[in-house]
Amino acid sequence: MTKTEQFSKLLREMEECGEDEQKQKIEEMKELINEMNTDDFRHVFTKEQFNKFEKMIEEKKISLENAALLLKHVGYCKKLKNIWIDGLKESLLNKRLELIIIAEDEKKKDEKNENLLIDLCECYISLSRGFPPELLSICVPHLLKKALMKGKNEEIQKEVEIVLLALSNIDHYGVNQALYLDEIKEIIQHHQEHHNLTQLAYQSAWLFLSYRLFFNDKSFKEVVANELHFVREAKRELVELTRQVDWMKKEENRGKKEEKELYIFFGWFSSIGNFLINCDLWNEEFAGLICSITRLLRVAKDNYRDIRRWFISILKTAAQKGAAKVDDLLKGGAVEAVLEEILQPAIDGMTEEDCFIFFLNISERLNEKEEDEKEEEERKAAKMEIFEKLEKEGYEDAIFSFHEKLPKAVFHPSFMFVPKNLSDYLMHL
């Protein structure tokens, strides 16, 4: 049988089982979900399938506790496999979860089933999207309360990992700062001192926090940049992850371990990108972060093309007017890394465009004179250093070749001003 058929068979059998036997079936289903590829996952977890879950709950063929046990794992795997599914949001189960969560939250303290409420919040937040403010105001505090567990044993670490991964599904929706800031600060700072979180849990906490940069003021950005030391932490985590990955392993030979490692990498990519776009606070750690990114570009060059694409995109973002200085890009080796990428024989169109925009961004910044005398001297020195790098054999031709390869309308405001002699524009900084 296919995995879709196996899952459907187990679900039918669950309807005839008692509570304990259902739990055994759920463990089998969880193992099956772990083995599913993207196509299997999308075929199984459709609107129709979630409607079946809702009907089973309605007809009391599965308890809420057991349904939550299974759905939590579906949400965890959906995030870890990086799969986009709309099934729950469009289903009857989504509305039922919302109603149950609200009703349970409104109960008196001595009547409330706190563990069930948290489990249902995890299911809802990890599987749905477009959350109403009322549901966020209930779910976020309850989930953070669980994430504040500080034990180091494996069971607690796994529970915290699941709940923080669920919270990282709340991307660019507004969440009132009072609902989360003190708690997420405590979670991150406690880990920085005691190392109680898994790598995935820590990355998820930062991802949840970095999404909030889009909405918040300078004082919030000060917390992220200078109190919680985002740049330092991102650099350290990337270095540690780099040591753990087998960079020689080809895609077809990778398993669940590599799937998890890659998800953690991509979570850091998103957090770093959010920070670079939305936070303009510089600190001395930037050059080190850029350096760790350029090292990764080199070790990933043969078997991890997706990682290379993401990191080129991050360097393009870092070259925009923002927290990172051009001097940080130079010290971190970003210019050489992008130039090396240009010379790759099999560079894809999107990466090629990102490389081009990287140089457009740098060119713009280096042609903006600084009012501060010291910064103006640094700008001139950086211009000279980049000019010397670009003069190396092969680089001028490689950059000039962009003029023929790229589409006429690159998404960049400066592109309309690029002269026919592109090498003049890029080389005469």
Side-chain angles (χ1 to χ4, degrees), residues 62 136 157 241 271 314 327 371 374 385 415:
I62 186 172
L136 287 178
Q157 285 187 321
L241 279 165
S271 294
I314 285 176
D327 197 46
E371 292 183 8
K374 183 180 178 182
E385 186 173 345
F415 190 73

Side-chain angles (χ1 to χ4, degrees), residues 34 80-81 255-264:
N34 290 342
L80 207 56
K81 294 172 186 288
K256 284 191 287 186
K257 177 180 178 292
E258 288 77 22
E259 185 179 78
K260 194 168 187 176
E261 288 167 345
L262 285 175
Y263 182 86
I264 298 171

